[in-house]
Amino acid sequence: MALKESIPLAEAGREDNQVLAFIRRHWSTIAPVGTLLALIIAFSIADPRFLQFENGLNILRQSSVLLVLALASTLIILMGSIDLSIGSILTLTAFTGALLARSTGDTNVLLLLPIIGLLCGLFNGLIVAYGKLPSFLVTLGTLYAFNGLANYMAGGRPIGLVSGGVGSLFTGAIGVFPVVALWAILVLLIVGLLARYTRLGRYLYAIGGNEKTARLSGVPVSRYKVYAFMVAGFLAGIAGLLQLVRANSASPDMGDSFLLPAIAAVVMGGTPLSGGLGGPLRTVTGVLIIAILANGMVIAAVNPFLQNVIQGLVVIVAVAITIDRRKMSLVK
Amino acid sequence: MNILQDSGLGPGKAESTQPVLEVRDITRVFGPVHALRGVSLRVRKGEIVGLIGENGAGKSTLLNIISGTDKQTSGTVILKGAEVSFGNYHEATRNGVFRIFQELALVQNMTVWENLFLSHEQKFTTVGFIRRKDGIRRAKELLERFDHGWIDPERRVQDYPFAVRQVLEVLKAFALADLLGQTEPVILLDEPTAALAADEIDFLRDLLIKLKGHCAIILVSHRLSELLEWSDRIVIFKDGEVVAEAGSRELTEEKLHYLMVGRERDKEFYREDRQREPEAEPVLQLEGFGDHTTFRDVNLSVLKGEIVGVAGVLGSGKTELGQAVFGDRRAHNGTLEHHGKRLHRWSAQSMSRAKVGYVPSERKEDGLLDTFSVAQNISFARIVSQKSPLLDLRREMREAEHYIAELGIKTSSPRANIESLSGGNQQKAVLARWLARGVDLLILDNPTRGVDAGAKEGIYDLIRDLADAGVAILLISDDLLEVIGLSNRIVVMKDGAITYRVDAPVAAKPKETDLVATMV
């Protein structure tokens, strides 16, 4: 067939090898989902308590904040950039929220936290886009700056959250279902729609895929980079709000432990660091792999130090089988 | 004519009769395109063989094969009597084949001596540590041997001007040949003077005079006078074949033009019967247009429904002119009017908003959204120009299906990744991007580069359709037949300025040789 000759990918799959061809074509989806299923099966065999409904809710609770932060990270990585400061934005917004709540006497001010996150993102974005600096270095800088600012305001001590106000909307459960997970799913829905059905989303993919072409097609690239960092900051602010309410206090460095898992989740899900491919739905798989691994190892009573070793190795293996090596490059 | 003959360059006798390098019957096929067809060539020590031909004639492909960065489909490469097939460039250098690339391949922030021996340091190491002094001394000796002892081996390459860096790159080949014990190196020079000014060219020529007796040189150049003066023999390529080979004493520039081009133009291929009279309304007007460095004083207008061709060799400024009109490069001098309205500041963004489209010459680097599907590539410029921030994915799919059918884009599905398509079909999708957006001025830079004949015809049909629809087209191209066949008017650029203008009505198309004569 003349048509087939011009399509090298189609040639790869011969008639007798259609299953293989299918797997190859959808590998970037199959690999992470396969990893996830393998983990679930392994832990179910290791300990029957893992499969209980109650534990499923646990996993949801534990992964919600990580999901929101990983979604923020996804948008930036799609664009071929990286934001190392999202964990610090979480810390900064949580501390600001705890302090403001203490001075106003209730938690209504927490609704401002996403806006504070957005301003942090604006700061990142302006420097990256108009200062023409690499996002890695800029956000490495703001990682320290935002963290330092949070600790400075709080005097380096944890601050408890006062009760009363809208804070209760973000905690507890409806029936058995954790509210925090509902919020995370809502965020996922919105970010998913943003990536697929808005011009902003399409531009992120285009800038990550080929920034030059995007510019030559008339995209105001710098402006949209700023927008992306603003949205990521906004989401990190939401993550700060959720984590503050969940922990009922803000503590120094509370966001640090989220940053690397968030980035690992994005890449394991199948969004390469070079950008242009993947998306929010992929990230869900990555987040679940991380959450289930952590949860399952606790249930299976793996030595806590060994847990870190295993987590690290799983990240490497998952990335190794997921990543499309043709698209690999350094962070822009 | 050959003032240099006594001093060592130009036609002369080769030192030995046994060729250092011989290629026999080399063919290279890329999909449906024959980049090389049965090419044979021999070079002896002490000899400079010049290669000439239009862009895409196959010169670079041949150098790629000789230097191990590409593989021939059939045929053999024989080096010093033995058949060789290098897997990569490093392997080629170890066997004494060195290539001086068009783009400087020196590491700018490293020193001269480090660059000269880069990737071969193991020749002077002690238990893995580089003996610095040794390297510097060897570099110094080499520079002195070829009368460039004034270059400090311990300074960074970036501290030296462009011409010196080019010389260093040539010397690097000798440094490595010495180091590797190669007494008969083969040096491939690919357009060494394209980016040099006149006095800098003399500088390089002096070096070649010194080097000539020590090696075999293949020289690719677009500058005919230089090629005639420097080479012993000249091999002329056309469409992947060697069409002539002669001692440079027997050749003249006119003769070279004639041999290089002189292809029969197929009127039907370029849809010349569809050439139309443009309307009187100018869409683009340039006056005294220039950017200080690459082009200057360009006066040009493109009317509604008109195709204006821009010809010129590499470095003539034609590509940069296109970039500047579209706003991808700053123009500092002169004026640009779009529909009679003078623009003061413009960018790719504002031009695209004003219904101007641009198809860059580097499809892979600048034209494709390579992570996108065919449909997403087609819809992109339209999405950029639309008012709504929301996407209509159903419209995108309809639009893609429409253009895939209309332009005959061969793809398994609109959702297939753009990279799964052949070059010609990718290019059609890039053109469809501006069709879907709807433009009234389209700047095309080499719209059919790397495209097979069938897809070319499709693209020519499309260009005619656009002209019929009243789109003004600025056609910048290295393919002279394309420029002649498609254009209503043609301008030729040389060294940044328009040097020749000619009307190209269907009944009286200019000849390829006439244009080439004004280009070089």
Side-chain angles (χ1 to χ4, degrees):
Chain A
M1 253 166 37
L3 190 71
K4 252 201 164 157
E5 274 163 22
S6 63
I7 304 159
L9 283 186
E11 280 174 354
R14 295 224 186 84
E15 305 305 323
D16 54 336
N17 243 338
Q18 284 199 339
V19 180
L20 251 173
F22 178 85
I23 290 176
R24 192 172 298 139
R25 201 163 7 188
H26 296 281
W27 182 246
S28 56
T29 314
I30 292 172
V33 173
T35 310
L36 186 59
L37 290 177
L39 282 177
I40 292 174
I41 292 168
F43 284 126
S44 313
I45 295 169
D47 196 314
R49 280 175 299 172
F50 176 80
L51 261 192
Q52 281 169 11
F53 180 68
E54 190 57 34
N55 192 44
L57 295 178
N58 259 336
I59 292 171
L60 276 181
R61 243 189 309 272
Q62 288 159 356
S63 58
S64 294
V65 176
L66 178 61
L67 176 62
V68 175
L69 213 58
L71 288 171
S73 196
T74 306
L75 293 177
I76 303 294
I77 289 177
L78 271 183
M79 195 170 66
S81 298
I82 199 154
D83 189 344
L84 298 176
S85 72
I86 42 173
S88 299
I89 296 177
L90 186 153
T91 310
L92 180 61
T93 51
F95 263 110
T96 316
L99 285 168
L100 285 176
R102 192 168 66 183
S103 61
T104 58
D106 66 37
T107 56
N108 289 340
V109 288
L110 296 192
L111 293 179
L112 284 177
L113 296 193
I115 305 295
I116 294 170
L118 180 134
L119 293 175
C120 293
L122 174 67
F123 185 76
N124 279 332
L126 287 176
I127 301 178
V128 169
Y130 294 101
K132 308 260 179 248
L133 292 173
S135 57
F136 183 92
L137 292 176
V138 172
T139 58
L140 184 63
T142 53
L143 181 158
Y144 286 103
F146 294 152
N147 242 345
L149 190 61
N151 281 302
Y152 171 76
M153 290 190 313
R157 286 183 305 276
I159 294 178
L161 182 64
V162 297
S163 55
V166 296
S168 56
L169 289 179
F170 299 95
T171 185
I174 295 177
V176 291
F177 205 80
V179 172
V180 64
L182 286 178
W183 283 106
I185 290 168
L186 182 68
V187 171
L188 168 67
L189 215 66
I190 292 170
V191 174
L193 292 174
L194 177 105
R196 189 168 159 76
Y197 291 101
T198 70
R199 190 157 54 179
L200 170 63
R202 182 60 64 84
Y203 283 3
L204 295 185
Y205 283 94
I207 294 170
N210 192 339
E211 185 170 333
K212 182 93 190 280
T213 308
R215 194 158 45 73
L216 289 180
S217 303
V219 176
V221 170
S222 297
R223 183 143 49 89
Y224 274 85
K225 280 189 175 174
V226 177
Y227 292 163
F229 276 97
M230 286 167 73
V231 176
F234 187 85
L235 295 178
I238 294 178
L241 192 170
L242 294 178
Q243 183 63 10
L244 172 64
V245 175
R246 197 168 118 77
N248 216 15
S249 76
S251 57
D253 308 334
M254 63 193 282
D256 292 8
S257 59
F258 284 102
L259 172 65
L260 294 180
I263 292 171
V266 175
V267 181
M268 283 200 291
T271 303
L273 284 178
S274 50
L277 293 170
L281 286 179
R282 295 274 181 86
T283 297
V284 177
T285 321
V287 167
L288 285 178
I289 291 175
I290 288 181
I292 284 178
L293 188 64
N295 171 283
M297 285 195 298
V298 171
I299 290 180
V302 177
N303 176 302
F305 297 116
L306 269 184
Q307 286 185 18
N308 283 343
V309 176
I310 294 171
Q311 258 177 358
L313 293 179
V314 168
V315 170
I316 295 175
V317 171
V319 170
I321 59 176
T322 304
I323 208 157
D324 181 350
R325 284 176 178 75
R326 287 173 305 151
K327 300 282 179 221
M328 241 178 15
S329 77
L330 294 174
V331 176
K332 280 178 215 160
Chain B
M1 185 172 103
N2 288 308
I3 43 158
L4 280 166
Q5 217 165 317
D6 324 315
S7 49
L9 275 191
K13 52 192 182 309
E15 265 181 22
S16 66
T17 45
Q18 169 73 19
V20 179
L21 175 78
E22 182 176 1
V23 301
R24 268 191 214 149
D25 208 18
I26 295 266
T27 295
R28 176 67 170 106
V29 181
F30 294 103
V33 185
H34 273 75
L36 290 174
R37 219 187 278 260
V39 169
S40 298
L41 189 80
R42 9 170 86 199
V43 202
R44 295 176 184 83
K45 187 174 178 184
E47 189 180 40
I48 299 181
V49 173
L51 302 190
I52 192 158
E54 288 195 293
N55 287 323
K59 297 161 303 189
S60 287
T61 309
L62 180 64
L63 295 195
N64 286 342
I65 289 169
I66 295 174
S67 59
T69 50
D70 193 9
K71 276 253 185 301
Q72 66 268 33
T73 312
S74 66
T76 48
V77 179
I78 296 157
L79 187 67
K80 290 159 209 149
E83 189 177 331
V84 290
S85 174
F86 303 127
N88 54 50
Y89 180 59
H90 190 78
E91 208 179 314
T93 59
R94 272 191 279 126
N95 288 282
V97 175
F98 302 93
R99 180 163 183 192
I100 317 302
F101 287 90
Q102 281 174 350
E103 311 82 29
L104 284 167
L106 297 173
V107 185
Q108 302 293 329
N109 58 350
M110 283 169 64
T111 62
V112 170
W113 78 268
E114 285 170 334
N115 266 290
L116 288 178
F117 301 118
L118 190 65
S119 87
H120 294 277
E121 294 85 355
Q122 74 274 16
K123 294 281 174 186
F124 44 92
T125 53
T126 309
V127 290
F129 290 96
I130 296 170
R131 292 194 302 274
R132 252 177 70 85
K133 288 227 173 74
D134 234 23
I136 295 169
R137 182 179 51 77
R138 279 165 181 265
K140 190 112 199 121
E141 278 170 14
L142 179 89
L143 292 167
E144 275 164 4
R145 190 166 79 177
F146 293 109
D147 286 349
H148 285 295
W150 60 276
I151 297 175
D152 181 355
E154 294 186 70
R155 271 184 78 179
R156 286 170 204 273
V157 165
Q158 64 198 12
D159 294 343
Y160 288 105
F162 192 84
V164 178
R165 282 184 266 160
Q166 184 108 42
V167 162
L168 281 175
E169 194 150 0
V170 178
L171 284 177
K172 178 176 172 178
F174 275 86
L176 295 181
D178 263 11
L179 205 60
L180 301 165
Q182 294 287 344
T183 51
E184 297 182 326
V186 177
I187 310 248
L188 312 174
L189 287 165
D190 199 351
E191 295 275 355
T193 58
L196 298 184
D199 52 332
E200 296 175 323
I201 291 177
D202 292 344
F203 194 65
L204 183 69
R205 186 192 59 193
D206 292 345
L207 179 73
L208 289 186
I209 292 171
K210 297 226 166 50
L211 297 179
K212 199 180 163 189
H214 304 275
C215 57
I217 297 177
I218 296 181
L219 172 69
V220 172
S221 179
H222 274 114
R223 302 197 192 213
L224 300 185
S225 56
E226 175 183 296
L227 205 68
L228 283 168
E229 189 187 308
W230 297 9
S231 320
D232 301 286
R233 272 185 302 128
I234 294 179
V235 178
I236 298 122
F237 278 71
K238 197 161 78 183
D239 293 333
E241 284 177 276
V242 173
V243 290
E245 178 174 353
S248 38
R249 247 184 266 199
E250 299 145 38
L251 290 167
T252 59
E253 290 197 24
E254 288 69 37
K255 227 168 176 174
L256 278 179
H257 292 157
Y258 178 76
L259 291 167
M260 261 171 77
V261 290
R263 283 179 290 172
E264 198 59 43
R265 200 178 75 254
D266 181 349
K267 291 180 165 44
E268 206 174 306
F269 190 60
Y270 297 100
R271 311 294 194 250
E272 286 179 28
D273 55 318
R274 292 189 58 196
Q275 183 159 329
R276 64 195 294 279
E277 277 304 304
E279 290 166 44
E281 180 191 335
V283 177
L284 174 74
Q285 274 175 295
L286 303 174
E287 255 170 63
F289 201 59
D291 76 340
H292 283 325
T293 48
T294 56
F295 65 95
R296 62 187 183 279
D297 288 332
V298 171
N299 298 316
L300 188 67
S301 70
V302 189
L303 305 176
K304 194 172 173 194
E306 186 180 36
I307 303 173
V308 174
V310 183
V313 298
L314 201 77
S316 63
K318 64 183 194 307
T319 288
E320 290 81 359
L321 172 67
Q323 289 170 341
V325 171
F326 189 63
D328 188 34
R329 165 184 284 272
R330 278 289 292 280
H332 303 272
N333 306 3
T335 59
L336 181 154
E337 288 182 16
H338 184 223
H339 286 299
K341 207 181 91 200
R342 180 169 173 195
L343 303 184
H344 292 276
R345 289 191 57 164
W346 66 96
S347 61
Q349 198 191 326
S350 68
M351 276 305 197
S352 141
R353 211 179 300 137
K355 295 192 147 193
V356 179
Y358 176 60
V359 175
S361 63
E362 299 298 327
R363 178 173 60 243
K364 189 96 192 66
E365 278 73 38
D366 306 337
L368 281 189
L369 290 158
D370 56 4
T371 58
F372 275 24
S373 68
V374 178
Q376 288 168 329
N377 265 284
I378 292 174
S379 67
F380 195 66
R382 194 259 306 156
I383 285 172
V384 172
S385 70
Q386 75 181 18
K387 285 213 172 58
S388 164
L390 299 178
L391 304 184
D392 181 345
L393 297 189
R394 269 196 224 114
R395 175 176 175 189
E396 175 171 76
M397 210 43 72
R398 276 200 310 272
E399 189 174 62
E401 276 159 6
H402 170 78
Y403 286 108
I404 285 170
E406 189 175 305
L407 307 186
I409 300 174
K410 284 182 193 148
T411 174
S412 57
S413 142
R415 289 189 182 80
N417 182 272
I418 189 79
E419 287 202 306
S420 67
L421 272 58
S422 70
N425 286 304
Q426 290 179 356
Q427 189 71 349
K428 284 184 186 173
V430 171
L431 283 159
R433 183 184 301 155
W434 292 110
L435 297 189
R437 189 261 172 273
V439 290
D440 60 21
L441 171 62
L442 189 57
I443 303 154
L444 303 173
D445 194 343
N446 280 300
T448 61
R449 177 181 284 177
V451 163
D452 61 89
K456 270 188 189 176
E457 284 189 273
I459 290 170
Y460 297 148
D461 266 330
L462 176 62
I463 291 174
R464 292 292 185 207
D465 289 344
L466 285 167
D468 284 344
V471 177
I473 295 169
L474 189 63
L475 172 72
I476 300 162
S477 180
D478 290 325
D479 185 340
L480 280 180
L481 290 184
E482 177 177 292
V483 169
I484 295 167
L486 291 175
S487 307
N488 295 81
R489 283 187 297 127
I490 298 168
V491 299
V492 173
M493 287 182 75
K494 182 182 175 185
D495 297 333
I498 292 181
T499 52
Y500 184 60
R501 296 165 187 274
V502 61
D503 284 334
V506 186
K509 290 278 182 188
K511 285 217 176 60
E512 209 181 355
T513 38
D514 300 340
L515 288 189
V516 172
T518 64
M519 281 164 63
V520 288

